[in-house]
Amino acid sequence: MIIKEITKQKTYYEVRTEDGIYEIEGELLRRFHLQEGMDADEEALEEMHRKSRFRRAYRRACYLLDERDYSYSMMHQKLMRTYQDRELCSAVLRQLVQCGAIDDRRYAARLAEYLVESKRYGTYRALQEMRRKGLDKDLAQEALEPYEEAAEENIPYVLEKKYGRCLTDPNDRKTRDKVIAGMARLGYDYRSVRDAIEDYFADWEEEE
């Protein structure tokens, strides 16, 4: 087939023939001396197209991973938005998993620690956030197990830090219910929060 036009794009060259358009990196273009007007083999162009898109997608993934960690699902979605090619994105992900750049178990462990110890979420909210980032439920729950005690210990701290100003009257049921609802949104269960509020007011009355 005859190459009708070669157009420079941002990160590749667009090679047009009478039968299609191929995205080919400059290095491959130069190696095979592709020029306008030459007769090119269709299979060779298709192979160069596949290789070029894989390399671009792989470099894109590595660039994203330099900025922060990703789960398998999140990276797949990110690449799909750009390349819209499920087979290509899956191939890139397989390579990333093989070299250890993508590891959902490692990612889950780091995320669980961050959500409980830094964000101070309860385990229920932490699980929701981990699922939202594409992690398997069982894997997320397993990663959260070492932080269950830490999550419980967060409650008095979060209670005082976030709601200390409004918890001034132990008989104010309306405010207490609002606080419980707010703590529930952070992933803490009703009974634990209720007990923590009782302890909070007991300590507060002793200080008085």
Side-chain angles (χ1 to χ4, degrees):
M1 62 176 62
I2 304 299
I3 295 177
K4 293 185 171 295
E5 184 180 18
I6 298 177
T7 307
K8 178 73 169 68
Q9 303 299 323
K10 189 174 182 180
T11 58
Y12 62 92
Y13 286 85
E14 191 174 84
V15 178
R16 291 177 175 268
T17 71
E18 61 266 31
D19 294 326
I21 301 173
Y22 304 87
E23 299 173 8
I24 299 177
E25 288 186 319
E27 185 266 330
L28 291 175
L29 193 82
R30 291 184 290 272
R31 185 195 302 177
F32 292 95
H33 309 289
L34 299 182
Q35 298 177 13
E36 293 179 358
M38 73 177 290
D39 190 3
D41 180 73
E42 181 180 5
E43 290 186 5
L45 287 178
E46 289 178 351
E47 180 63 18
M48 283 185 272
H49 174 80
R50 285 193 294 270
K51 284 184 177 179
S52 295
R53 281 175 62 81
F54 179 88
R55 290 176 183 177
R56 285 165 49 215
Y58 189 81
R59 285 197 297 268
R60 173 63 176 165
C62 291
Y63 171 80
L64 292 171
L65 287 166
D66 280 342
E67 297 294 320
R68 64 183 181 89
D69 211 358
Y70 280 81
S71 69
Y72 184 103
S73 176
M74 288 175 62
M75 180 60 76
H76 194 274
Q77 291 175 17
K78 195 84 170 178
L79 294 177
M80 279 294 294
R81 282 198 289 270
T82 301
Y83 298 99
Q84 299 176 358
D85 184 332
R86 193 171 299 278
E87 184 177 347
L88 167 68
C89 296
S90 295
V92 171
L93 263 296
R94 283 195 297 272
Q95 184 67 30
L96 291 170
V97 169
Q98 185 175 346
C99 71
I102 293 285
D103 185 331
D104 274 5
R105 189 170 298 279
R106 181 187 64 215
Y107 178 70
R110 291 176 178 174
L111 185 58
E113 179 182 18
Y114 170 73
L115 293 172
V116 175
E117 297 195 346
S118 296
K119 297 291 286 185
R120 295 187 183 272
Y121 287 158
T123 53
Y124 180 72
R125 172 70 180 275
L127 179 62
Q128 287 182 315
E129 292 296 315
M130 294 173 79
R131 294 285 289 140
R132 190 174 62 83
K133 291 183 180 295
L135 289 170
D136 174 76
K137 183 178 180 180
D138 291 340
L139 181 60
Q141 288 176 328
E142 180 183 328
L144 284 168
E145 283 178 7
Y147 300 98
E148 289 178 356
E149 186 174 338
E152 286 295 311
E153 292 172 353
N154 279 341
I155 296 176
Y157 174 87
V158 176
L159 198 63
E160 184 170 0
K161 181 89 171 173
K162 196 171 181 67
Y163 298 105
R165 290 184 179 180
C166 61
L167 283 173
T168 57
D169 182 358
N171 297 314
D172 185 350
R173 303 300 306 180
K174 185 176 181 180
T175 296
R176 185 179 294 218
D177 288 344
K178 286 183 178 180
V179 170
I180 290 174
M183 292 291 287
R185 287 192 292 272
L186 293 175
Y188 297 105
D189 68 90
Y190 171 83
R191 179 173 296 178
S192 297
V193 174
R194 183 196 62 191
D195 293 344
I197 291 175
E198 294 298 335
D199 291 341
Y200 174 85
F201 280 122
D203 293 341
W204 182 67
E205 289 172 357
E206 285 180 9
E207 290 176 3
E208 289 291 314

